[in-house]
Amino acid sequence: MESRHDRSSSSRPSRRAFLGAAAAAGALAWVPVFRVTPASAQATSSPPANFPSSISVYQQAYQNWSGMIVIDDVWTCAPTSATEVVTLANWAYANGYRLRARGMCHGWSPLVLPAGNTGAGYVLVDTTQYLTGASITAGTPATVTAQAGITMDTLTTALAASGYGLCAIPAPGDITLGGALAINAHGSAIPATGETPLSGQTYGSLSNVILSLTAVVWSSTQGEYVLQTFQRDDPDIRAFLAHLGRAFVTEVTLQVAASQNIRCQSWVDISAADLFAPPATAGSSSLASYVNGAGRVEAIWFPFTDTPWLKVWTIAPTKPALSVHVTSPYNYSFTNSVTTAENTFFDEVATGDTSGTPAFEGTAMALVDTGLVFTGTWDIWGQWQDVLLYVKPTTVRIVEAGFAVITSRANIQQVVSDFYTQYTTLLDTYQAAGKYPMNGPVEIRVTGLDKPADALVTGAQSPILSSVRPRPDETGWDVAVWLDMGTLPVTPEFSAFYATMEAWIWSHYSGSYATVRPEWSKAWACTSTAPWTNTTILGSTIPAAVSAGQASGDGWSTAVSILTQYDPSGVFSNPFLDTLFG
């Protein structure tokens, strides 16, 4: 048989061809455009042996959101039902393969496949083509039962049309529900002063509204993989509510609340010094002040600029007189395209020239200032999903390091002030050496925690691996401050900057002040070389953080034990997860 190395570059789609086709579609907006069948002359390897004949298999490129993980030609399939996923799992077990759920590839961390993996021995299972059904049921609470491959765009549209909603959601809608729940995706919301939560709401992550889920698991009595449904009061569901890709969930039932109308006001005239001021000098323009008044805020700050973009969402049943009524999402069009000036800067960074970073950051913020004016979107109002969804796939593809700082509501301003001081101090140190590793925004959000009582089920279990799981020993800690640091993934020394900030974050937010957990979809466990490579953080720091303050038998090792029990052969794993879960 002819080897893959015997073929000329013109006989099959190469990495350059994949990326070139993507570039033609728009800078940094990548979509896999090739699909190669086993019979094609362009196939780069033999198809998986004994693959189920009822399921089509093909080669397709895989790339994560930032482009830091690129695999040209992974064998991929798209099962039409959960039963076919079971068939795939039993085939993989019998033939020495592993399966990875593939959604919309909107993630940074190597939970699907790690960088450097060739895809050999793996089959990606695309859930987005057929596992997309959803049904809504009225009741107390109202519920939606949806398959894992449905996108948040589709799900939120269906919920809103039926008069239901979620308290807070991630900004992008081109993510699958299964992917969002695997990493306890979140929005930005805590109760405003005086706000009464709606029945069925949670201010934590989406994982906390799960009432039941169905997963493909190993049955020791049957000696094969089967479908099993876990209810929210089942102790074993604790490990599946946020499983980091170490399981395969096919369907979930979520509780939902009544739909709400929301106003979003954007402010670009508040100085970073005031917004992130130390508590002793913080006034009405502080982040904590806005959080207390509205409950729902997001601060986007570009390094080397003086005024962040502050978004403040408020519940508004009727349209305020000055607001613009919006009837569809993604209203900040100026953030969802790449300008010529931006492309020029990106090219410079790719060649190692970062000297234009301060000027570029000023241009980026000016684009926000003028964009809000020209699009008339500085004050918008509409149904919840039309106001909360705002990031499209055409936005700039950056990498982000992300952490959740669990603390008390009274400490919000201290958390952000400490972070701002440390971040700017480190920026200044690098700038003094003529280095600019950070050229993307800092994003700060505030959410509640995943309190089991929010799930309207007696005996509801707590998600062990959720970044925002409460600490029973710290009953005063009731919020999470999410700290995200963005930059282009080709920027020199960005991971060294991340590593320094991460070390400070883990050590600073500790003791009776706060605790830290990773934002699973982002960059963490950073070394000077790359994210996700710090073996001490992977093997010790993270397990300890997840277990801290929890009851015996309710921490990291328990989650690992449960996930291993239901997949003892590691069919739903990869080398990175093998390391993380030990």
Side-chain angles (χ1 to χ4, degrees):
M1 177 180 175
E2 130 183 281
S3 77
R4 64 183 293 175
H5 301 292
D6 293 332
R7 296 192 175 100
S8 70
S9 60
S10 61
S11 66
R12 65 183 180 87
S14 64
R15 172 171 176 168
R16 179 175 297 175
F18 277 105
L19 298 180
L28 302 183
W30 186 93
V31 177
V33 294
F34 293 103
R35 181 179 294 185
V36 177
T37 63
S40 171
Q42 294 180 325
T44 61
S45 64
S46 299
N50 306 313
F51 197 79
S53 59
S54 60
I55 304 173
S56 297
V57 65
Y58 47 89
Q59 283 185 307
Q60 192 169 42
Y62 168 78
Q63 179 176 315
N64 73 339
W65 173 258
S66 64
M68 294 178 67
I69 303 173
V70 180
I71 307 173
D72 289 348
D73 40 27
V74 189
W75 287 105
T76 306
C77 65
T80 60
S81 66
T83 301
E84 286 196 341
V85 180
V86 174
T87 298
L88 287 166
N90 286 311
W91 163 82
Y93 170 71
N95 289 273
Y97 269 77
R98 286 176 151 186
L99 303 178
R100 307 304 302 138
R102 179 190 180 280
M104 299 299 290
C105 307
H106 195 140
W108 289 263
S109 54
L111 302 184
V112 176
L113 286 172
N117 192 283
T118 65
Y122 290 83
V123 172
L124 298 186
V125 181
D126 185 351
T127 62
T128 66
Q129 295 187 46
Y130 302 107
L131 301 180
T132 59
S135 61
I136 299 169
T137 303
T140 307
T143 61
V144 56
T145 298
Q147 291 179 298
I150 192 171
T151 64
M152 290 299 294
D153 272 331
T154 302
L155 178 65
T156 57
T157 297
L159 286 174
S162 298
Y164 299 110
L166 297 164
C167 179
I169 54 176
D174 67 315
I175 57 176
T176 61
L177 176 62
L181 296 175
I183 47 87
N184 73 277
H186 62 95
S188 189
I190 64 173
T193 301
E195 178 181 337
T196 300
L198 297 178
S199 176
Q201 276 188 341
T202 182
Y203 294 92
S205 75
L206 290 177
S207 292
N208 202 37
V209 293
I210 295 175
L211 298 183
S212 67
L213 60 84
T214 300
V216 180
V217 301
W218 176 258
S219 168
S220 56
T221 58
Q222 299 182 53
E224 63 180 1
Y225 284 87
V226 299
L227 288 171
Q228 181 171 332
T229 298
F230 299 84
Q231 301 297 326
R232 185 62 187 265
D233 60 358
D234 184 337
D236 284 352
I237 202 174
R238 290 176 295 166
F240 290 89
L241 293 169
H243 56 76
L244 315 189
R246 186 56 183 85
F248 201 119
V249 173
T250 60
E251 185 177 85
V252 297
T253 295
L254 310 177
Q255 69 181 31
V256 294
S259 179
Q260 290 182 303
N261 292 331
I262 295 178
R263 179 188 196 183
C264 183
Q265 295 169 282
S266 288
W267 306 97
V268 292
D269 58 352
I270 303 168
S271 72
D274 287 339
L275 191 65
F276 306 131
T281 59
S284 60
S285 294
S286 68
L287 187 79
S289 178
Y290 281 101
V291 170
N292 287 330
R296 297 154 173 81
V297 302
E298 178 184 42
I300 300 176
W301 171 62
F302 294 92
F304 307 106
T305 66
D306 296 326
T307 55
W309 178 12
L310 177 68
K311 292 201 284 290
V312 180
W313 294 274
T314 51
I315 303 302
T318 59
K319 189 182 86 66
L322 299 180
S323 297
V324 174
H325 184 195
V326 295
T327 57
S328 61
Y330 309 110
N331 293 286
Y332 308 115
S333 56
F334 52 91
T335 67
N336 290 313
S337 60
V338 182
T339 67
T340 301
E342 287 173 319
N343 273 328
T344 298
F345 175 72
F346 301 157
D347 289 342
E348 292 171 352
V349 172
T351 64
D353 179 6
T354 61
S355 61
T357 299
F360 172 76
E361 298 303 296
T363 300
M365 190 59 206
L367 181 64
V368 173
D369 292 347
T370 57
L372 289 169
V373 173
F374 285 123
T375 60
T377 52
W378 64 88
D379 184 349
I380 61 175
W381 173 89
Q383 205 166 19
W384 60 280
Q385 84 288 356
D386 291 334
V387 179
L388 296 177
L389 291 168
Y390 62 87
V391 173
K392 298 182 74 172
T394 49
T395 193
V396 175
R397 301 294 181 98
I398 57 175
V399 62
E400 287 189 301
F403 304 90
V405 177
I406 312 301
T407 190
S408 67
R409 184 169 182 145
N411 283 338
I412 290 174
Q413 191 64 27
Q414 188 72 62
V415 168
V416 298
S417 178
D418 290 353
F419 173 79
Y420 175 71
T421 298
Q422 177 65 18
Y423 190 89
T424 52
T425 298
L426 189 57
L427 277 182
D428 291 344
T429 299
Y430 271 85
Q431 185 180 27
K435 299 177 180 180
Y436 300 91
M438 293 290 105
N439 48 48
V442 166
E443 298 177 342
I444 297 177
R445 304 176 183 88
V446 182
T447 71
L449 306 185
D450 283 343
K451 300 176 181 179
D454 291 346
L456 302 182
V457 172
T458 301
Q461 297 293 306
S462 177
I464 292 178
L465 298 179
S466 169
S467 303
V468 290
R469 190 188 196 197
R471 281 269 298 263
D473 63 329
E474 295 285 357
T475 56
W477 291 355
D478 54 356
V479 302
V481 181
W482 299 83
L483 306 173
D484 291 338
M485 301 168 279
T487 196
L488 293 171
V490 295
T491 309
E493 298 194 47
F494 82 87
S495 193
F497 186 97
Y498 280 167
T500 301
M501 282 299 302
E502 180 175 11
W504 177 85
I505 287 170
W506 283 112
S507 64
H508 183 75
Y509 299 112
S510 59
S512 60
Y513 175 21
T515 193
V516 177
R517 313 244 180 79
E519 184 169 5
W520 297 117
S521 65
K522 303 292 177 61
W524 32 270
C526 300
T527 64
S528 60
T529 304
W532 315 293
T533 59
N534 187 312
T535 54
T536 299
I537 294 177
L538 293 174
S540 300
T541 307
I542 289 174
V546 170
S547 300
Q550 306 298 333
S552 176
D554 200 25
W556 178 267
S557 61
T558 299
V560 173
S561 177
I562 293 171
L563 293 170
T564 302
Q565 172 192 342
Y566 286 102
D567 182 25
S569 299
V571 166
F572 304 123
S573 189
N574 69 30
F576 175 75
L577 293 176
D578 292 343
T579 298
L580 179 63
F581 286 108

